[in-house]
Amino acid sequence: MIKQIKSFVVNLIAGANIATILLMLLAGYSDRINPEHHPILSVMGMTFPVFLLVNLLFLFFWLCVKWKKAWIPIAGFAAAYVPITLFMPLNMRQDVPDQTIKLISYNVCTYGGNYKYEKGFDTVFNYLARQNADIVCLQEDVDTWRRFVMQRYEKIYPYNDTTVLHKNALIFNCVGIHTRYPIIRKERIQYPSRSNGSVAYYLKTDKDTLLVINNHLESTHLTDTERENYERLIRGKMKRDTAKTESMFLIEKLGKNNAKRAPQADAVHRYIEAHRQYPIIVCGDFNDTPISYARRTIAQGLTDCFQTTGKGLGLSYNQKGYYFRIDHILCSPDLQPYNCQIDDEMDASDHFPIICHIKMRENP
C-alpha cells in the first residue's frame, strides 16, 4: 500500500513537471503569436523565466529523490533551447579585432531618469565622452530644446541629429544620433503611434553606406503605481484576491500595448526588407523582451548581437521590478558583432546602455 502511494505521488509530481514544461514552451515560443490577434497570449513571454526556474527546481528535486526521473526537466530544457539562448545566452568574451564600429544605444529618459544625479545631462555626456564610441543612438533625447545640448555634443561628435517624434504641451519625444560618420540622409519610418517612432539614418563609412535604424517603440504605459504593484505581485507581497485582480489588469494592459507595438515592428521589418542592399544596424528601445513578437519580427534575417555575443540576463530596464532586456542591437549578416553587453554601472537613466562592437565582414 505504501509503495502504491509513493508511486502515485511520484507520478503526480512528474505530471506537474511535464505541465510546467508545456507552459514553459508556450511562454518560450509565444513570440510567434501576433498580439493583434491574441493580445493576452502575447504577454506569456514575460513568464518564461518563472517556468524556467520551476523546471530547474524540479531537476534538483529529481536528482535528490529519484534521479532516474531527471530526464524530464532535462528534456524540457532541451526543447526550450532556442528561447533559453534568447533570454540568457552564455557566450564567451571575444577578442575585438581592429577596425570595428563601436555602437551605443541608450534611452536617456530625458536626461533625468535616475534623479540621484543633480546634473543628469552632464552625467550622460561625460559617460559618452569616455566611451568614445563611433555611433551613439539615443532614445528620449528630448533635452535638445536647450541650445547648449547640441553644441556640447558637437565637441565630441562632428555629425549630430535629433528627430522630434512628437511634441505638444504634454508629450515631447525624440530620437537622436551622434556619430563620427557623415549623415547622408535620414528617413522616418511610417507607422501609427502617438509619441513613438523609428528613424533610418544613412551614414557614410570608409567602405560603404551604413543604414542605422534607431527605434523607440510603443511603451508599456505602466504608471509608477502599476509598476510598484507589479513588483509587489512578483514578490508575493499581495493578498490573493488583490493579486488576481491586479494580475488580470496588468495582463490586459500589457497585451493592449503589445498589440499597438506589433504593426510598428511590422513596419520596421518591411523597411529593412526593402533596403537589404545596405549593411544594416537596428537598435533602440523596443519596449519588449527578447521573447516577444516585436523583437522576433524585427530580427528576422538579422543577427541579435546580444544573443550571439552577450552573456547572462542583460537586464537593460532597471525600475520598479520590471527587470527585462528591452533594449536591443541587431545587425545584417554582412556585419559581425563582438562583445555585446549591458553596462549596468551607468545608472543615470531608468535604462542601462547597450554596447556592441561591429565589423564589416570581408567579401569572399
Side-chain angles (χ1 to χ4, degrees):
M1 184 67 178
I2 295 176
K3 186 176 181 180
Q4 291 176 333
I5 293 174
K6 285 183 177 179
S7 177
F8 174 77
V9 171
V10 167
N11 290 333
L12 188 65
I13 296 173
N17 193 173
I18 292 171
T20 297
I21 291 170
L22 293 176
L23 290 170
M24 179 175 69
L25 294 177
L26 179 59
Y29 292 98
S30 63
D31 54 0
R32 274 74 173 169
I33 300 172
N34 190 322
E36 291 186 291
H37 303 150
H38 304 285
I40 302 300
L41 289 177
S42 73
V43 180
M44 280 206 67
M46 297 176 63
T47 66
F48 179 74
V50 176
F51 296 119
L52 191 67
L53 177 60
V54 174
N55 195 51
L56 181 62
L57 294 176
F58 272 116
L59 176 60
F60 290 147
F61 172 81
W62 292 126
L63 290 174
C64 294
V65 176
K66 196 173 183 64
W67 67 268
K68 289 185 179 180
K69 294 287 187 181
W71 69 268
I72 299 175
I74 292 173
F77 287 131
Y81 175 78
V82 171
I84 288 173
T85 59
L86 267 175
F87 181 75
M88 188 179 62
L90 296 174
N91 299 294
M92 299 297 290
R93 188 170 181 83
Q94 308 97 37
D95 293 328
V96 178
D98 295 333
Q99 297 181 334
T100 59
I101 296 171
K102 182 177 181 181
L103 181 139
I104 297 177
S105 178
Y106 190 15
N107 184 324
V108 296
C109 195
T110 72
Y111 301 103
N114 188 337
Y115 297 101
K116 65 187 292 185
Y117 297 103
E118 183 177 348
K119 296 182 178 180
F121 175 78
D122 288 337
T123 304
V124 172
F125 176 84
N126 292 334
Y127 169 80
L128 295 176
R130 291 194 303 272
Q131 286 294 317
N132 194 34
D134 299 292
I135 302 172
V136 174
C137 289
L138 302 181
Q139 302 86 45
E140 298 189 24
D141 185 21
V142 303
D143 205 30
T144 50
W145 60 272
R146 297 183 185 177
R147 295 180 181 275
F148 76 87
V149 169
M150 194 60 74
Q151 294 173 356
R152 291 282 298 279
Y153 277 123
E154 287 173 351
K155 293 182 179 180
I156 56 175
Y157 288 104
Y159 305 99
N160 304 272
D161 183 86
T162 298
T163 301
V164 177
L165 303 175
H166 190 89
K167 181 179 182 182
N168 61 26
L170 298 176
I171 301 173
F172 185 17
N173 195 13
C174 310
V175 295
I177 190 168
H178 309 282
T179 175
R180 304 191 190 286
Y181 304 114
I183 303 171
I184 301 173
R185 65 184 179 94
K186 69 175 181 178
E187 184 176 5
R188 178 87 178 263
I189 299 176
Q190 298 301 316
Y191 55 68
S193 179
R194 182 183 177 191
S195 59
N196 304 280
S198 301
V199 179
Y201 293 97
Y202 293 79
L203 309 182
K204 183 63 178 176
T205 65
D206 295 336
K207 298 181 179 180
D208 210 334
T209 297
L210 177 66
L211 172 55
V212 178
I213 302 176
N214 188 4
N215 300 273
H216 189 282
L217 302 185
E218 195 74 27
S219 170
T220 58
H221 295 293
L222 296 180
T223 65
D224 288 344
T225 300
E226 290 164 355
R227 292 185 189 278
E228 289 171 1
N229 289 339
Y230 170 80
E231 185 172 17
R232 289 173 56 211
L233 181 66
I234 62 175
R235 292 181 182 275
K237 296 181 178 180
M238 191 176 286
K239 293 181 179 179
R240 181 177 296 180
D241 291 343
T242 306
K244 183 178 180 180
T245 302
E246 189 65 28
S247 296
M248 289 307 302
F249 172 79
L250 289 172
I251 289 171
E252 289 178 3
K253 187 166 186 178
L254 290 169
K256 177 182 177 181
N257 289 300
N258 281 357
K260 290 182 179 179
R261 204 176 299 118
Q264 300 172 5
D266 292 337
V268 174
H269 172 64
R270 287 193 299 269
Y271 191 92
I272 293 168
E273 288 299 306
H275 297 83
R276 285 286 186 180
Q277 67 270 33
Y278 298 102
I280 302 172
I281 297 174
V282 184
C283 65
D285 178 5
F286 289 17
N287 270 308
D288 229 332
T289 70
I291 303 174
S292 64
Y293 177 86
R295 191 220 65 91
R296 181 177 180 273
T297 298
I298 295 175
Q300 291 181 72
L302 302 177
T303 300
D304 186 313
C305 297
F306 193 88
Q307 180 190 14
T308 55
T309 71
K311 184 177 181 180
L313 296 174
L315 308 179
S316 68
Y317 189 80
N318 56 53
Q319 297 290 308
K320 301 291 189 304
Y322 193 80
Y323 303 123
F324 293 100
R325 184 168 75 253
I326 63 175
D327 300 87
H328 306 278
I329 297 177
L330 315 166
C331 66
S332 54
D334 45 2
L335 299 173
Q336 175 68 49
Y338 296 89
N339 292 339
C340 189
Q341 62 179 312
I342 305 295
D343 187 354
D344 57 8
E345 295 184 359
M346 179 50 184
D347 59 352
S349 171
D350 54 356
H351 291 245
F352 295 129
I354 180 169
I355 306 171
C356 191
H357 290 82
I358 299 174
K359 183 178 175 63
M360 191 80 67
R361 294 183 188 271
E362 297 295 334
N363 293 325

